[in-house]
Amino acid sequence: MREMNGKQYKIYAIIVTWNAMRHSWIDRCLHSLQASTVMVTPIVIDNCSTDDTRRHVPSAYPDVVWLPQDINLGFGQANNVGFRYAIEHDADYVLLLNQDAAIQPRTLSLLLAQSDGKSLMSPLHLNGDGTDLDLNFAKNTVVLSGSATDYVFRLRNEQGRFETGEICAACWLMPVRMLKEIGGFNPLFFQYGEDNNYYDRMLFHNIKTYLVPAAEMWHDRKIYGNKEIYDNKLIRRTILLAACDINSSFFSAIKEIAWQLKNCYVKKLPRREYVTGTFFKELVWLMFHLKDIIISRKKEKTTGIHWIYPQK
């Protein structure tokens, strides 16, 4: 429990791990939470790591809530396990933090000071040594918001908050009120794309995203945490995001899918991939899951703790 501005907040940090011993990622991540000026309880959900993560974390960090899984749930669904635990233990906020990321000691304090208790809050996303912007953050959040990268980087010493567009879920401070209003991550997304889909839902339900540039998170990666996994399902993820976007009609989504496939992918695919089935395989997958997508669109237009509890 932590008191800020005369109020007491119970905060859980949710960290999904998979082979997190690389580069001492999990140690760096958990040490940063221990050094935080705001008390936070880490919840570690392990997705069947094959390295020493499953022995090391509960042994070295006995105060961590340790939730190992029997199968790899994927990023979104593992986070939903953490959401469920936090809600059931009366949390006020949850901090989503990647296993390869670390916050600075005052990050949570700065985010809480700017939070209105209903919006998504994010720190500035920097690279692994804090010397520049994280490449994904610079490529997507900064450029798409119409700002210059060097301008945003200079904001790191500015106070206050700035409303922004979509920010990668590597570090989100989420009020539990938000989770109870629109739920957790959509199970149709296994890894990558779940935060894009969540942002689409936030837009639909008029939930804002704020960047607090004085708060910092350092992310030890180049642009994507696992580029092989990111690239592997790129076509599927793109058409699935379009199909699930509740800010567009389903007819508009179909038109968007057709445009994406024609202009972004079909022309870039080697002829042999197009002929041997990469293109058609993803269309077949989409059609096979059409019922799930329609149910998803209807559910996400309503409020409630969707996806966090399987039966709801």
Side-chain angles (χ1 to χ4, degrees):
M1 191 74 72
R2 173 67 179 179
E3 186 170 328
M4 289 285 295
N5 301 323
K7 297 182 180 180
Q8 289 188 328
Y9 298 115
K10 192 174 186 180
I11 306 169
Y12 285 95
I14 300 175
I15 303 135
V16 175
T17 54
W18 185 78
N19 293 349
M21 300 301 292
R22 182 182 179 190
H23 305 308
S24 299
W25 278 339
I26 192 59
D27 287 321
R28 187 182 186 214
C29 178
L30 291 173
H31 287 165
S32 77
L33 294 175
Q34 291 175 336
S36 172
T37 58
V38 173
M39 188 189 332
V40 56
T41 301
I43 305 172
V44 177
I45 303 97
D46 185 74
N47 270 334
C48 280
S49 292
T50 56
D51 63 0
D52 201 35
T53 302
R54 292 169 80 89
R55 183 206 61 82
H56 176 70
V57 173
S59 173
Y61 304 95
D63 294 333
V64 163
V65 178
W66 174 242
L67 301 176
Q69 302 301 301
D70 295 329
I71 60 172
N72 188 340
L73 299 176
F75 180 78
Q77 297 315 291
N79 271 297
N80 285 350
V81 172
F83 290 153
R84 185 160 63 246
Y85 184 96
I87 289 172
E88 291 175 351
H89 289 79
D90 302 317
D92 297 297
Y93 286 89
V94 294
L95 176 74
L96 260 59
L97 189 62
N98 275 21
Q99 65 176 11
D100 56 357
I103 62 171
Q104 298 305 296
R106 296 182 62 241
T107 295
L108 269 176
S109 177
L110 292 165
L111 292 175
L112 286 169
Q114 297 298 328
S115 174
D116 56 13
K118 60 183 179 182
S119 303
L120 181 90
M121 309 299 294
S122 172
L124 201 64
H125 290 212
L126 302 180
N127 61 11
D129 56 13
T131 57
D132 205 346
L133 292 178
D134 172 74
L135 289 177
N136 182 273
F137 179 84
K139 175 184 175 183
N140 294 320
T141 302
V142 176
V143 173
L144 294 180
S145 66
S147 301
T149 299
D150 58 345
Y151 167 73
V152 174
F153 189 64
R154 289 197 302 270
L155 286 178
R156 64 193 302 192
N157 295 318
E158 294 291 328
Q159 300 300 312
R161 67 184 190 184
F162 300 85
E163 186 174 352
T164 185
E166 184 178 344
I167 295 180
C168 164
C171 188
W172 283 359
L173 182 65
M174 308 172 73
V176 168
R177 170 180 172 178
M178 178 194 300
L179 296 176
K180 292 180 177 179
E181 183 175 352
I182 64 172
F185 289 118
N186 189 321
L188 286 170
F189 297 87
F190 181 78
Q191 184 171 355
Y192 294 113
E194 61 282 308
D195 51 352
N196 308 101
N197 170 258
Y198 202 85
Y199 180 72
D200 287 340
R201 288 155 59 194
M202 288 174 55
L203 284 179
F204 184 85
H205 291 284
N206 298 310
I207 297 174
K208 295 181 178 180
T209 301
Y210 288 105
L211 171 68
V212 180
E216 296 182 6
M217 179 274 287
W218 294 11
H219 201 174
D220 187 17
R221 63 170 183 176
K222 293 299 182 183
I223 185 164
Y224 300 113
N226 190 321
K227 196 166 190 308
E228 181 179 353
I229 293 176
Y230 181 86
D231 290 341
N232 187 40
K233 299 295 181 183
L234 184 58
I235 297 176
R236 177 180 300 180
R237 189 168 58 251
T238 301
I239 62 178
L240 183 58
L241 279 169
C244 291
D245 185 0
I246 55 177
N247 297 289
S248 301
S249 68
F250 195 66
F251 177 72
S252 297
I254 297 300
K255 289 174 61 179
E256 173 69 12
I257 289 169
W259 185 89
Q260 291 279 5
L261 289 172
K262 179 180 178 181
N263 294 284
C264 298
Y265 295 104
V266 173
K267 292 180 180 179
K268 294 181 180 179
L269 284 174
R271 183 64 183 172
R272 64 179 182 278
E273 286 192 43
Y274 180 75
V275 173
T276 57
T278 301
F279 172 75
F280 293 105
K281 178 182 177 182
E282 301 307 336
L283 284 180
V284 169
W285 184 93
L286 182 71
M287 296 303 297
F288 183 78
H289 289 84
L290 190 58
K291 181 179 178 181
D292 294 329
I293 292 169
I294 292 172
I295 292 173
S296 163
R297 289 176 60 88
K298 290 180 179 178
K299 180 178 288 190
E300 292 184 347
K301 287 183 178 180
T302 63
T303 56
I305 310 181
H306 305 313
W307 313 131
I308 294 176
Y309 288 88
Q311 72 276 19
K312 294 184 178 182

